[in-house]
Amino acid sequence: MNPTPLALLAAIAASGAGLPAPSPAQHPDAAAVQVAAVKAVRAEFPAGTIKVDRGMHGSQPRLLSDSVARVLADAVGGTVGSRADVVCPGSGPRGCRIVGAEALLRVAEPVVQGDSATVVVAGRYHTGSDRQPVGAKDLRVRLVRSAGRWIAVGTTVLRIS
């Protein structure tokens, strides 16, 4: 008999390696979907340090758990950050910068339906321009579960500025 995805996730979490256990309100594969999504969009942002914001992208102010934020940051070779890492002193976009990273990613709660899922990843990144040093790019990642793994099959740009 094959173990269920929830049992596998619980076993990985209990071993102290891999993904954290889901909260009761989350889909059991939420962290795995988010990890696959951030890996899929990593190339959309400049090379260098990436920070993952503990604040979740979306209309409701919520936070990722410390363990999920660390797993997402590790997935892209980055660190955990916060929205406070995007600094915009004064008026206008010319003075904006990201402290200690090339990009800051905010990851939404995934929507999982059977063997497919979507998740939005909102990023702020250094543009290299003096006129607008920090840009924004929001991406929706479509994923499918295949052989027990979540695989990104498409990315849609929702917003870029």
Side-chain angles (χ1 to χ4, degrees):
M1 184 164 134
N2 290 334
T4 66
L6 180 57
L8 288 172
L9 189 57
I12 291 170
S15 74
L19 303 173
S23 72
Q26 283 183 320
H27 187 278
D29 285 353
V33 170
Q34 289 169 315
V35 165
V38 296
K39 285 181 174 180
V41 301
R42 173 60 186 97
E44 295 283 336
F45 299 97
T49 301
I50 295 284
K51 288 188 176 182
V52 174
D53 188 348
R54 284 198 59 234
M56 292 182 74
H57 177 73
S59 59
Q60 296 179 327
R62 294 182 40 204
L63 294 176
L64 295 170
S65 71
D66 287 336
S67 57
V68 170
R70 274 193 307 275
V71 167
L72 294 175
D74 288 347
V76 291
T79 62
V80 176
S82 74
R83 184 169 266 183
D85 291 323
V86 179
V87 179
C88 293
S91 62
R94 287 180 191 241
C96 293
R97 59 185 164 66
I98 301 171
V99 178
E102 293 301 312
L104 176 72
L105 303 182
R106 213 165 219 238
V107 184
E109 184 77 31
V111 176
V112 181
Q113 295 176 331
D115 287 338
S116 65
T118 59
V119 64
V120 173
V121 179
R124 303 299 171 260
Y125 61 97
H126 285 289
T127 63
S129 165
D130 290 337
R131 293 184 68 202
Q132 184 176 343
V134 176
K137 187 184 294 188
D138 297 352
L139 305 158
R140 180 182 2 251
V141 183
R142 290 176 292 119
L143 305 104
V144 296
R145 183 174 27 215
S146 175
R149 292 184 27 215
W150 287 96
I151 301 165
V153 294
T155 302
T156 304
V157 176
L158 301 175
R159 177 177 78 115
I160 190 165
S161 64

